Amino acid sequence: MSNDERYPVGSVRTTFRIVEALEQRGTAGVTELAEEIGLSKSSVHKHLTTLESLDYVVRDEGTYRLGFRFLGVGNRVRNRSELVSIAKPAIENLSRTAGSVTNLMVAEHGYGVYAYRAGEQFETSSYLPPVGGRVYLHATAGGKAILSQFSDEEVETVLDRRGLPSLTEKTITDEQALRRELRSVRDRGLAFERGEHLPSVQCVAAPVTASGRPVGAISVSGSIDQMSGKKLEEDLAGLVVSTANAIEVTLLRR
Amino acid sequence: MSNDERYPVGSVRTTFRIVEALEQRGTAGVTELAEEIGLSKSSVHKHLTTLESLDYVVRDEGTYRLGFRFLGVGNRVRNRSELVSIAKPAIENLSRTAGSVTNLMVAEHGYGVYAYRAGEQFETSSYLPPVGGRVYLHATAGGKAILSQFSDEEVETVLDRRGLPSLTEKTITDEQALRRELRSVRDRGLAFERGEHLPSVQCVAAPVTASGRPVGAISVSGSIDQMSGKKLEEDLAGLVVSTANAIEVTLLRR
DNA sequence: GAGGACCGTTTCCTGATAGCGAACGATTGG
DNA sequence: CCAATCGTTCGCTATCAGGAAACGGTCCTC
């Protein structure tokens, strides 16, 4: 076992390597997984047997796949979050008035995670990161909205961990440029995303804070031909900010 | 570690014990978890550190909670399922025409799992099992619809594993009575649930099969005062059956 | 403000075990 | 019909998962 300081229980790391390989492939066999992970067949088999007994993996005629139990855990995590339950009706409203996809993003481990989304039916053309999916904070409107409320040191920690990878030709990859952008976001209370994450996706977001700390961000996204110019920069921007404010007020009154 | 044949990698079982304890509590400390699981504080701490490095757990000021990463895994599992992607628009339609909550249930490890739900806004009063939640097959309309397509031996396997626990005073707890009920469900292609799972919930479901095997069930649920008599037994029943049939046809044409 | 109780964390040790290699049936396909 | 490949089983052994105890910090309490 790789005895990294960060993974004191090596076999847990192994198991989640297998889980993540299964997550990517959808369905896979023992040999296939063993080769991918670089483990012996027998070890992989032991892990799969254990995971199956725990109901996290389903054995289907000599092949394996992840079970729906993960869906249960994931939904429980989400439903326990006070922020999500408060933001849910708010962004559903926002989605209806804006006629666009709206998201709640939270930050975790230096990534942004889409915790909830409404109005998926408005976006049929372009591909959006799935709910629960992790994205880079520096390349998304919601991510920049959250980062803008972080201290300089906290931003530094995120950059050290995740870097500034380029996702499209418009992604901000220079740290000084990002710092400038974050100052502007902080001043306006608004973040825009213009093809920095996905080439044809535009986005506007506002941070949600509780007692001075950022707890998430509200965003509206759409394809580049759906929203631009005044609609994006004024109409949608105003809606996003007022929704974020409404959520903040409700968070206080809980 | 308990050296059960079914859990060849004991520490994986330990880790998921911790995950499930965290899932129930929402947030917990090391000592609390160690007492619950019956493990030493240092071991629990090692597991939590590992899980945090893997981004599945979040450390928040000396206390721990599950991360949203589980939501990502769960959604990926769901989105990979061909049945879900086909059933999704169908049960959304069904929900609108019926004006009720509709569900897609699949069977896993002898339990029923709600894989997808539409029209949650129609049900504000009574509590419904969450999406991803696991329920007993013998006590739910969807579960009985699925069981009705199982062979006698398969039903026996499920009963051996999960038993026939009583959930309300109307739950079927006698095996012979259940077998009779399943025959009736098979004959009609329809299953009803009248307070057998939750006292005030009524439900009607139809199985979805692919090449003779049950792959899931479509159901409509509502509180007892919303649906009963003719509405439940004729109108909704017909809609559920035709939706299930439509899904079966699409499954064939994939 | 001193004491104590509790917390999360770290350290060190040791018996249990995670991972390995090899062998075994079952299945497949040339 | 045999060769290849699959999932599975079986012992073995070096490793490590788990335990006990001590540590440093924080929060009450008196």
Side-chain angles (χ1 to χ4, degrees):
Chain A
M1 285 307 326
S2 58
N3 195 1
D4 197 318
E5 178 74 11
R6 293 161 47 82
Y7 306 99
V9 187
S11 52
V12 169
R13 194 185 182 191
T14 304
T15 270
F16 278 103
R17 279 228 186 87
I18 294 173
V19 166
E20 283 158 26
L22 267 179
E23 182 190 345
Q24 283 198 331
R25 291 167 184 262
T27 172
V30 176
T31 309
E32 194 180 348
L33 290 170
E35 278 170 6
E36 159 123 7
I37 319 279
L39 235 64
S40 68
K41 282 200 296 175
S42 52
S43 292
V44 172
H45 184 259
K46 275 207 233 179
H47 279 270
L48 287 171
T49 304
T50 308
L51 288 167
E52 200 222 352
S53 294
L54 293 167
D55 292 357
Y56 288 97
V57 156
V58 178
R59 179 189 265 128
D60 203 17
E61 292 166 18
T63 175
Y64 294 87
R65 62 172 179 82
L66 295 187
F68 278 85
R69 181 132 194 218
F70 280 104
L71 185 62
V73 177
N75 270 327
R76 286 276 281 271
V77 168
R78 172 158 74 178
N79 292 339
R80 280 204 171 275
S81 156
E82 197 172 30
L83 173 63
V84 171
S85 49
I86 289 174
K88 205 166 155 175
I91 75 169
E92 274 164 4
N93 268 330
L94 175 58
S95 168
R96 274 190 295 272
T97 39
S100 305
V101 180
T102 56
N103 311 281
L104 169 66
M105 180 186 283
V106 298
E108 245 183 41
H109 302 287
Y111 287 116
V113 183
Y114 290 101
Y116 192 81
R117 175 174 292 155
E120 210 138 9
Q121 69 274 13
F122 293 120
E123 192 63 49
T124 51
S125 56
S126 69
Y127 169 83
L128 286 176
V131 172
R134 309 196 296 173
V135 294
Y136 284 99
L137 292 172
H138 74 284
T140 50
K144 291 191 287 183
I146 293 172
L147 282 179
S148 78
Q149 300 294 317
F150 277 4
S151 70
D152 287 354
E153 296 75 35
E154 289 171 322
V155 173
E156 194 58 38
T157 306
V158 171
L159 299 194
D160 287 347
R161 286 226 277 171
R162 308 302 171 196
L164 288 171
S166 173
L167 305 174
T168 73
E169 52 186 16
K170 299 202 176 166
T171 310
I172 300 176
T173 54
D174 175 65
E175 175 162 350
Q176 288 317 312
L178 179 66
R179 300 257 180 208
R180 275 194 302 276
E181 167 82 349
L182 292 184
R183 272 194 296 275
S184 145
V185 169
R186 193 180 311 127
D187 290 344
R188 292 199 282 181
L190 261 182
F192 291 99
E193 170 194 329
R194 297 186 177 90
E196 301 155 52
H197 182 234
L198 296 164
S200 59
V201 171
Q202 304 255 72
C203 211
V204 55
V208 177
T209 61
S211 51
R213 298 291 313 155
V215 293
I218 303 299
S219 66
V220 175
S221 30
S223 63
I224 194 161
D225 42 276
Q226 277 177 358
M227 49 178 68
S228 60
K230 179 174 172 300
K231 184 184 176 189
L232 177 67
E233 301 192 6
E234 293 179 23
D235 307 353
L236 292 180
L239 285 171
V240 166
V241 169
S242 58
T243 302
N245 285 339
I247 292 169
E248 286 180 356
V249 170
T250 315
L251 271 174
L252 282 176
R253 291 213 192 113
R254 55 173 163 166
Chain B
M1 279 310 323
S2 58
N3 195 1
D4 198 318
E5 178 74 10
R6 294 161 44 82
Y7 305 99
V9 187
S11 53
V12 169
R13 194 185 184 192
T14 304
T15 269
F16 278 102
R17 280 229 184 87
I18 294 173
V19 166
E20 284 158 25
L22 267 180
E23 182 190 345
Q24 283 198 331
R25 292 166 184 262
T27 173
V30 175
T31 309
E32 194 180 348
L33 290 169
E35 278 170 7
E36 160 124 7
I37 319 280
L39 234 66
S40 68
K41 282 199 295 174
S42 53
S43 291
V44 172
H45 183 258
K46 277 208 230 180
H47 280 269
L48 288 171
T49 303
T50 308
L51 288 167
E52 201 223 350
S53 294
L54 293 167
D55 292 357
Y56 288 97
V57 156
V58 178
R59 181 188 263 128
D60 202 17
E61 292 167 18
T63 176
Y64 293 87
R65 61 173 179 84
L66 295 187
F68 279 85
R69 180 134 196 215
F70 280 104
L71 185 63
V73 177
N75 270 327
R76 286 277 281 271
V77 168
R78 172 158 76 176
N79 293 338
R80 280 204 171 273
S81 157
E82 198 171 29
L83 173 63
V84 171
S85 49
I86 289 174
K88 206 165 153 177
I91 74 170
E92 273 166 4
N93 268 330
L94 176 58
S95 169
R96 275 191 294 272
T97 39
S100 304
V101 181
T102 57
N103 311 281
L104 169 67
M105 181 186 282
V106 298
E108 245 182 40
H109 303 287
Y111 286 115
V113 183
Y114 291 100
Y116 192 82
R117 176 173 292 156
E120 211 140 7
Q121 69 274 13
F122 292 120
E123 193 62 51
T124 51
S125 55
S126 71
Y127 169 82
L128 286 176
V131 172
R134 309 197 297 174
V135 295
Y136 285 99
L137 292 171
H138 73 283
T140 49
K144 290 192 287 183
I146 293 172
L147 282 179
S148 77
Q149 301 293 319
F150 276 3
S151 71
D152 287 354
E153 296 75 36
E154 288 171 322
V155 172
E156 193 59 37
T157 306
V158 170
L159 299 193
D160 286 348
R161 285 226 278 170
R162 307 302 173 196
L164 289 170
S166 174
L167 305 175
T168 73
E169 53 187 15
K170 299 201 174 165
T171 310
I172 301 175
T173 55
D174 174 65
E175 176 163 351
Q176 288 316 310
L178 179 66
R179 299 256 180 209
R180 277 194 303 276
E181 167 82 350
L182 292 183
R183 273 194 296 276
S184 145
V185 169
R186 194 179 310 125
D187 291 344
R188 293 198 282 181
L190 260 182
F192 291 99
E193 170 194 328
R194 296 186 179 88
E196 302 155 53
H197 183 235
L198 295 165
S200 60
V201 171
Q202 304 255 73
C203 211
V204 54
V208 177
T209 61
S211 51
R213 298 291 314 157
V215 292
I218 303 298
S219 66
V220 175
S221 30
S223 63
I224 194 162
D225 43 275
Q226 278 177 357
M227 49 177 67
S228 59
K230 180 175 171 301
K231 183 186 177 189
L232 177 66
E233 302 192 7
E234 294 180 22
D235 306 352
L236 292 180
L239 285 171
V240 167
V241 169
S242 57
T243 302
N245 286 339
I247 292 170
E248 285 179 356
V249 170
T250 315
L251 270 175
L252 282 176
R253 290 211 192 114
R254 56 171 163 174

